[in-house]
């Protein structure tokens, strides 16, 4: 009986002992490795691949922000002045803080319509405690922010435990906490804050020493490089695709240019604003929570699929309640900054276009309305766009109705881009 030979090598024979099979093998290349393997050509190829897949990231809003600066600077040379830019970065903090909380809720694919009223109620509560009751301002601030978190958790309870739609729950909260604010403020309707007190100085205090702004810029650049470099080393050690050192250096240089330009601008006016420092600190902290912790991954997972998250063992109820508590907390913090800006708590706090601007800032910045995609830095980009438009139109003495229409147009454009991007990603198999 003859044995027929075959060209197929035994499965347990190593590739080194079977060079023909090794030569014929096709190595699958992860698209994320193209940048590392092909240099500039890899960058270009990766960029084209992302564009085809609809992975635009923050590119549209960055391009839009540059266009806004160019247009308004050409209309009025005061737009990019140190004073105007400093005023913009201070004015954006109140709305930006509220928008950070909105980002957390949008990542779940939900909405919180109560944040405007919660911000007003928190500022009113702080004013009553500090002025009418004579409490230390730090204690009044703690009461206000913890009240905001408790209010958000209450909304989350009705949504996550009792199953009421988040839209309806927070809409009821919008009305209830608005009435609560009016009740707390009393018949006068306005409580003036001490402009030299803790709350008053949130938006009026500046680090006038030039070393403060440049020092912060240097710290930001160094921390970014070190964390990026060590992160890439860890990824390389376990065989996970990582950015090349050249890209890390390039990103660090770009960040250094922006950071030191901002520091120079601040030092041309009054110095580094305390409000901006606090806002950036919260952005760094929340971005770390979302991207570097198990809790943050659970939020993204819930935004992708609630049922899959539940099957994976995630406590869906607890995460939902905590996210709405975070939204309430940031609404309260934002309310304190808004009160500091006008040195008072009054009946108009939390009303007007505040809610829409906070939601619009998150969406314009790149957070998806459909859940599962976004970063807290999106709040910074979005609120910069909105406040820059407002200040630019104000310099041109444009009527208030036109401001609303232009902001609405920007928001609609962003939502359309988000929808088209999502469809493109589904087509490319990336959603």
């Amino acid at each position: 009986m003859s044995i027929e030979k075959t060209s197929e090598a035994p499965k347990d024979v190593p590739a080194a002992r079977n060079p023909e099979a090794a030569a014929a093998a096709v190595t699958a290349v992860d698209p994320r490795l193209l940048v590392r393997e092909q240099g500039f050509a890899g960058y270009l190829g990766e960029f084209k691949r992302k564009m085809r897949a609809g992975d635009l990231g923050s590119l549209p809003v960055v391009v839009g922000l540059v266009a806004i600066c160019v247009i308004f600077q050409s209309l009025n040379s005061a737009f990019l002045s140190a004073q105007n830019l400093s005023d913009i970065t201070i004015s954006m903090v109140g709305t930006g803080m509220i928008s950070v909380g909105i980002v957390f809720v949008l990542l779940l694919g939900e909405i919180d319509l109560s944040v405007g009223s919660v911000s007003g109620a928190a500022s009113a509560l702080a004013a009553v405690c500090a002025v009418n009751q004579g409490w230390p301002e730090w204690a009044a601030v703690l009461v206000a922010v913890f009240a905001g978190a408790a209010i958000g958790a209450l909304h989350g309870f009705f949504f996550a435990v009792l199953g009421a739609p988040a839209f309806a729950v927070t809409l009821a909260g919008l009305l209830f906490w608005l009435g609560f604010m009016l009740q707390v403020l009393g018949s006068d309707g306005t409580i003036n804050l001490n402009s030299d007190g803790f709350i008053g100085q949130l938006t009026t205090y500046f680090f006038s020493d030039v070393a403060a702004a440049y020092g912060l810029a240097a710290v930001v650049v160094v921390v970014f490089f070190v964390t990026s470099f060590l992160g890439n080393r860890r990824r390389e050690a376990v065989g996970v695709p990582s950015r090349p050192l050249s890209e890390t250096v390039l990103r660090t240089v770009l960040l250094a240019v922006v950071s030191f330009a901002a520091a120079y601008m601040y030092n041309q006016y009054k110095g580094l604003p305390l409000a901006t420092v606090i806002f950036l600190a919260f952005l760094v902290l929340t971005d770390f929570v979302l991207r570097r912790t198990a809790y943050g991954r659970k939020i993204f997972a819930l935004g992708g699929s609630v049922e899959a998250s539940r099957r994976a063992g995630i406590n869906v109820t607890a995460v939902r309640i905590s996210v709405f508590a975070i939204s309430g907390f940031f609404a309260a913090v934002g309310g304190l900054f808004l009160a500091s800006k006008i040195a008072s708590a009054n009946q108009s706090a939390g009303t007007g276009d505040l809610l829409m601007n906070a939601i619009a800032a998150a969406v314009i910045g790149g957070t998806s309305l459909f859940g599962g995609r976004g970063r807290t830095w999106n709040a910074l980009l979005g609120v910069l766009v909105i406040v820059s438009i407002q200040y630019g139109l104000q310099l041109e003495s444009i009527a208030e109705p036109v401001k609303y229409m232009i902001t609405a147009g920007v928001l609609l454009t962003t939502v359309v881009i988000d929808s088209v991007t999502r469809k493109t990603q589904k087509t490319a198999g990336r959603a």
Side-chain angles (χ1 to χ4, degrees):
M1 181 176 181
S2 62
I3 300 177
E4 184 179 354
K5 292 184 178 181
T6 175
S7 60
E8 181 179 357
K11 294 182 180 180
D12 58 347
V13 176
R17 294 167 57 186
N18 188 16
E20 293 82 2
V26 178
T27 303
V29 179
D30 192 323
R32 293 172 295 180
L33 297 176
L34 293 177
V35 174
R36 184 172 66 185
E37 294 182 351
Q38 300 180 11
F40 179 76
Y43 283 107
L44 184 60
E46 179 74 355
F47 177 77
K48 291 180 179 178
R49 183 184 67 81
K50 287 184 176 182
M51 293 301 102
R52 288 194 298 268
D55 188 4
L56 301 177
S58 298
L59 180 62
V61 67
V62 172
V63 172
L65 191 57
V66 172
I68 289 170
C69 293
V70 171
I71 292 173
F72 284 120
Q73 178 65 15
S74 64
L75 295 175
N76 193 317
S77 59
F79 182 78
L80 291 180
S81 65
Q83 179 179 352
N84 192 60
L85 292 178
S86 180
D87 289 342
I88 287 175
T89 57
I90 294 173
S91 296
M92 74 179 186
V93 173
T95 305
M97 285 288 191
I98 300 174
S99 186
V100 170
I102 290 292
V103 169
F104 276 82
V105 177
L106 289 179
L107 287 175
L108 294 181
E110 301 296 340
I111 194 66
D112 188 349
L113 300 179
S114 68
V115 288
S117 296
V118 173
S119 69
S123 64
L125 192 59
V128 168
C129 291
V131 178
N132 293 0
Q133 302 299 322
W135 290 19
E137 287 201 19
W138 63 266
V141 167
L142 288 179
V143 168
V145 295
F146 280 114
I151 291 171
L154 179 63
H155 295 162
F157 172 81
F158 282 107
F159 164 59
V161 178
L162 300 184
F167 179 90
V169 171
T170 56
L171 179 60
L174 182 155
L175 299 174
F176 181 87
W177 301 113
L178 176 61
F180 175 83
M181 178 190 71
L182 298 177
Q183 182 68 30
V184 167
L185 290 174
S187 57
D188 292 338
T190 299
I191 299 177
N192 294 321
L193 297 169
N194 179 11
S195 58
D196 295 326
F198 178 78
I199 299 176
Q201 291 195 339
L202 286 175
T203 55
T204 59
Y205 185 83
F206 294 81
F207 298 97
S208 57
D209 192 336
V210 295
Y214 288 125
L216 179 62
V219 168
V220 168
V221 172
V222 170
V223 169
F224 175 80
F225 176 78
V226 171
T227 55
S228 299
F229 179 78
L230 294 179
N232 289 335
R233 291 288 297 273
R234 286 194 297 268
R235 294 173 70 87
E236 290 174 0
V238 296
V240 177
S242 60
R243 292 189 176 96
L245 179 61
S246 59
E247 182 181 351
T248 301
V249 172
L250 177 60
R251 287 170 175 260
T252 304
V253 170
L254 293 176
L255 177 62
V257 170
V258 174
S259 299
F260 281 96
Y264 174 78
M265 178 271 297
Y266 284 130
N267 285 331
Q268 294 301 111
Y269 185 47
K270 293 182 178 180
L272 179 64
L274 173 63
T276 303
V277 175
I278 296 175
F279 188 34
L280 291 176
F282 272 116
L283 288 175
V284 171
L285 176 62
T286 52
D287 184 68
F288 177 83
V289 169
L290 284 177
R291 297 176 62 237
R292 303 292 183 182
T293 67
Y295 174 72
R297 289 191 288 272
K298 291 176 182 179
I299 294 176
F300 281 105
L302 275 178
S305 173
V306 175
E307 185 57 32
S309 300
R310 183 178 287 108
R311 291 176 181 271
I314 295 176
N315 190 333
V316 175
T317 300
V319 173
R320 282 175 163 175
I321 293 176
S322 66
V323 165
F324 276 89
I326 290 172
S327 179
F329 171 84
F330 277 102
V333 173
L336 293 175
F337 276 92
L338 293 172
S340 173
K341 194 74 173 60
I342 60 176
S344 68
N346 57 41
Q347 293 179 339
S348 64
T351 60
D353 59 354
L354 176 61
L355 170 63
M356 292 299 102
N357 282 343
I359 297 175
V363 177
I364 290 173
T367 304
S368 176
L369 283 168
F370 303 99
R373 191 179 79 244
R375 297 179 61 180
T376 51
W377 290 100
N378 296 149
L380 171 62
L381 292 174
V383 77
L384 260 178
V385 169
I386 292 175
V387 177
S388 296
I389 291 175
Q390 292 174 343
Y391 269 70
L393 295 176
Q394 184 176 336
L395 287 175
E396 294 302 307
S397 301
I398 303 297
E400 196 70 22
V402 179
K403 296 181 183 179
Y404 284 118
M405 289 187 285
I406 292 178
T407 304
V410 173
L411 175 59
L412 178 60
T413 302
T414 306
V415 173
V416 170
I417 292 175
D418 182 37
S419 300
V420 173
T421 298
R422 189 174 180 84
K423 291 181 180 179
T424 306
Q425 289 178 337
K426 285 184 177 179
T427 303
R430 290 175 57 86

